[in-house]
Amino acid sequence: MTNAINAPMWQSYIESKIGFVLPKTQTKWLSNAILTTAEDSQLSVPELWFAVQADARLRQQLLDRVLIAESRFFRHRPSLDYIAALAKEHEQVVAQRSLIANKSLATVGIKATKPASFKIWSVGCARGQEVWSLAMLLAHAGLTQYRILGTDVNYEAIQEAQLGRYSAREIATIPSEFGHYMQRCESDNMALYQPLGKGSAESGNCWQVSDSLGKNVTFRHHNMFTGKVATKAKQQVIICQNMLIYFRQFDQRDILARLVEHCEVGGHIILAPGEALFWRHPKMQRVSHPEVNLWQKVEA
């Protein structure tokens, strides 16, 4: 069986499915992903090429190996702090309005309504570190009325994000005041921890996100490139950091336009510093901030 790899052909195929443009420096990474997937499936590389066209499971397996699920806890803290401040302001305003409204309802015997949740969507969340970092920040601030959605095209990464299990090295970037949100994994669950990298479980080095954070967090497998809807709910904040750099500029515009439609009027879209600075949209207004790359939706 021949295993010669036509890298440009595979790169074009991957880009057609998820828009992901592999840097030339990652050609070896691509080759390893193809060879490993072919070997696991007991196929030659040419056979794998035809198989992934028809087999969605095999195609996702290849994509998971090609995609780099890289993130870290509390990456770019100013963006996270900005979101926490917005969530706190939202909860205070909503609580005040609900108090007034519910007093009026009580006079006519109508049951009080539940305050609206502050909705945050983390796009391209990889293995969930950004989502859990936000959950820690909001919980630490005493906030309760929020929902965080994390999505990624990497199916394996999303499954791991849901588990919320990380190595000691990975949680080292969590500030000490949030350390109580991480607990050592139960010994009988250690075998369940299978990170994308070499196993921390083997060395007894597993930490679990506190169950108390999970009630406000949801993860979904989602391909932002296709335009399929990840959530019907309008979001107060959409954070999309260090994902757009892997897409061509015209695809970045299309993705950002979709995010605008998912954003509530008055809500915000936050990108990584220096990311998509070319972007303009008639419904969005750039917000001046010394550290955060920030846009606000000003028109429905």
Side-chain angles (χ1 to χ4, degrees), residues 1-3 10 34 38-39 41-49:
M1 294 192 299
T2 178
N3 279 324
W10 284 95
I34 294 167
E39 183 180 343
S41 307
Q42 297 183 321
L43 299 171
S44 67
V45 169
E47 287 170 340
L48 178 67
W49 170 257

Side-chain angles (χ1 to χ4, degrees), residues 35-81:
L35 290 171
T36 303
T37 306
E39 183 180 343
D40 287 352
S41 307
Q42 297 183 321
L43 299 171
S44 67
V45 169
E47 287 170 340
L48 178 67
W49 170 257
F50 289 107
V52 296
Q53 318 293 324
D55 189 332
R57 181 197 60 80
L58 191 59
R59 179 167 58 249
Q60 187 62 53
Q61 184 181 341
L62 173 65
L63 292 175
D64 285 352
R65 282 179 168 147
V66 170
L67 295 168
I68 303 170
E70 183 179 347
S71 188
R72 64 179 181 273
F73 284 100
F74 289 87
R75 179 173 64 178
H76 201 248
R77 181 70 182 268
S79 293
L80 304 183
D81 285 338

Side-chain angles (χ1 to χ4, degrees), residues 97 193 233:
R97 288 176 180 171
Y193 178 65

Side-chain angles (χ1 to χ4, degrees), residues 138-192:
L138 300 184
H140 191 71
L143 305 183
T144 58
Q145 302 303 318
Y146 65 90
R147 296 291 305 172
I148 309 174
L149 170 65
T151 64
D152 201 278
V153 69
N154 188 321
Y155 181 73
E156 186 176 349
I158 281 295
Q159 287 186 309
E160 293 193 18
Q162 288 174 326
L163 287 175
R165 292 180 182 146
Y166 302 93
S167 68
R169 177 183 57 81
E170 289 173 305
I171 70 167
T173 56
I174 298 176
S176 58
E177 64 265 34
F178 305 107
H180 62 285
Y181 291 113
M182 300 302 300
Q183 301 158 358
R184 285 192 180 275
C185 297
E186 296 292 336
S187 58
D188 58 343
N189 290 332
M190 289 294 289
L192 296 176

